[in-house]
Structure formats: structure tokens, C-alpha cells
Amino acid sequence: MASQEENQAQPFADIFDEDEAENFFLLSKPTCLIILGKPDSGKKTLARKLAQIWKCIFIEALEVIQTNIHEETEYGLKCQELLFKGQSISEELVTEMILKKIESPEVAHFGYILTGFPSLSEEYMTVSQQIEKIKSLKLKPDFLINIKCSDYDLCQRISGQRQHPDSGQVYQRNQWDPSVIEKHRKEKDQHEEENEKEDEEQEEEETAEDPLMKSEFLHQLVQRPEDTIENAEERVGKYKDIMLHPLEDLMAEQDCRYLIELNGNQQPDDLFKNYICCYCCFNKQDELFRVLSSYKLIAHRYRWRRSRWGQACPVALKQGDIVMGSPDLAVSFLGKMYALSSPEALKTFMLNPRPYLLPPMPLPPCKVLVFGPPFSGRTTICNLIAHKYKGKV
């Protein structure tokens, strides 16, 4: 009887190996997405929202240019020099910056959301060559999101855009056209059944504070040349002639479970909600739980626990030095504490902690002292030992 009880499985025992699960996560590929669609169909807006929610890296041509200029990288200095001369930034330079960003340490850890590539411009690479470049990436996109919108609806939306000259902000027709705003308000009032008086009071307050309702603000809005109906139709036609068929071939090769098509006629918030619904329907396996694990938690996180590194800095340990970290530079990752020794080490660790946590780390460095009389070969032996065991002299 006792032997049977011993052999019986314990229902509340944790059958998972924590270290094995942690190593599996560190070795796993981050989720990567690419958003496709016609010009001005809302790709950038959706990509920016997803990047904020999933905590991944948003990659787009203008965003990459601004980031490089702000960080004063080699590419950023080239861009500044070209802009100061009144020249445009070449397609080759933009493509190099995008590919460099995809290969960066932070993208290797957080993943990316790419939009605007492939581009309609074939100045440097044809659309087919750009698609082949995507297929050859080390971090290939896991999901393709295609925003679909009819040509007529898209051209009407583009031609209805207005820009404020001072701020540069672009407003859609339903944000600046009083007749459209009033129509939407009446439709909303018809669907309201409860708390009508409270809602009306709130709407009056919002209308009074909304600068878009002021006639002076409305008169300042202008239409950009590229937003005229003729130019919009030309861009959509160019997209269908150059890019549509190669993208259809790319989507045909994609596993249907990881191809998400959205209706581009919806508002950005509705478009985002539909993506979440599609994502949940298509992916109910480990990938979904892994991506959503840091989004909405069903309970509070566990308290921080001490890692095997103790107070030693993981970045310094990887470089062969034992340096104690500072409590002021401590971070939590996968529920454990890691103390970094300097702001530079903290920044490096935050970009991508995986290389510093994967086995055989934490491996304390072996320090060897070689001494002897002058000209006895100490330097030669030191160099041989360092070369053999990949150490530093």
C-alpha cells in the first residue's frame, strides 16, 4: 500500500524545471511582424500601437532616420550632412539603416514590427530584391499583417486629410469636417440608451475644449499636394503595378495561421482591436502565452528573487571580470535580480540580456598569475595561455 502511494503522482507538484524553462526562453526567437498594405492605409499607425503594447522595436524609414540623427551614429551624421546640403537621403542609406536596426541587440531580444519595407521606390533595390532581403533575414517575420482597403475608399480618405502648418499634425475628415463630426455625433446619440443627460454634458464640455471646433483652427488646416485625389490615385496605381503581385506571392508562401488580413476602412483603435482578436483566434498555443505574458497579467508578479549571479555584474562577468554591481543599478528580469556595475553595463544589459545569462554563465573567470625572473618567457607564456583559454593578458 505504501509503495502504491509513493508511486502515485503528486497532483500539486511542480513538474517543470525552472532553469530549463528560463534557458528555453533565452534561446527562443522574439516575435517579429511585418505590416503590409497600400499607401496611407494606416500601416504606420497600427505598427506604432503594436510596438507600444508588445514592447518590441518599431522599425520604419523615418523613425530609423530620426533615431540615428538623435543618437549621432555614423549613419546619423551622414544624414545630417546630406540634409544640411539640401540633398535627400538616398534609398541605399535608408535600407542600410533599416537592416542594421534589424540586426541590433535590442531587436534580437525584443523583436520588431517592420513597416514601409519593401518600399515603392526602386532606386536602390527592386521590390523583388527587397522581398528576397526580407526572406534572408536572420530574424524572419513570424506574422504578416495585410491591411486591405478598396481603391475608392482609400483615395477618398487620403484626399480628406488636412495638415496644421504649425504643428505638422495630420487630421482625417472625421476630425475636422463639422458636418461629418455632427453626423457621427447624431449616430452615437441614437445608440445611447442610458445616462443620456450625463453624456450630453460631457460632450458639451469636450466640444468647448476641443481646438478642432474653433473656426480659427479649422481655417488654418491646409491640404498637402500629395493628398490631392489625383496624386492619391497615382500612388495607389503605382502600388498595384509594382508591388501588389510580389506581395501576393509572399503572402501565398506564408502559413495561413500567421497571415492576418484586416479591414483598413476602420478607425485605428478598431483596427487594433481586430488584430488582437485575429491574433488570439489564430494562435492559442505557446506563442500566444509567451507574447501576452508581459501584456495583461492575471495576478501580481512574484517578488524578486536572488539570481545565481548574486551581486556580481553579469556584463562584467561575461567580459572576464568580477565586479560587484550597485543596488541603484539593479533590474528585474524573469523574476530575478541582477545588479549592474555601471550605467553603460545597465544599458547594454537592458538592450539584450540573453548573451549574459545563457550557459555557461555565470562562469567565474579563472585568474592566473605568471611570475619569474626577467627574460624568462613570462610574456610569451601569458599570451599562449590567453590564446588557449580566450582570456585577457
Side-chain angles (χ1 to χ4, degrees), residues 348-375:
T348 304
F349 187 80
M350 293 292 287
L351 288 177
N352 187 1
R354 302 180 188 222
Y356 309 102
L357 305 183
L358 284 167
M361 302 298 294
L363 184 63
C366 177
K367 298 187 176 181
V368 179
L369 172 63
V370 179
F371 60 94
F375 304 106

Side-chain angles (χ1 to χ4, degrees), residues 10-11 15 19 33-34 46 72 74 80 85 111 116 141 162 185 187 210-211 226 231 292 300 302 331 343 356 375 379:
Q10 298 180 8
I15 62 173
D19 293 337
L33 306 94
I34 182 170
L46 178 62
E72 297 184 349
E74 182 182 351
Q80 278 187 324
K85 292 180 179 179
R162 297 294 185 270
R185 181 171 297 158
E187 291 176 354
D210 190 357
E226 60 266 28
N231 289 334
L292 294 181
H300 294 293
Y302 292 105
V331 295
Y356 309 102
F375 304 106
T379 304

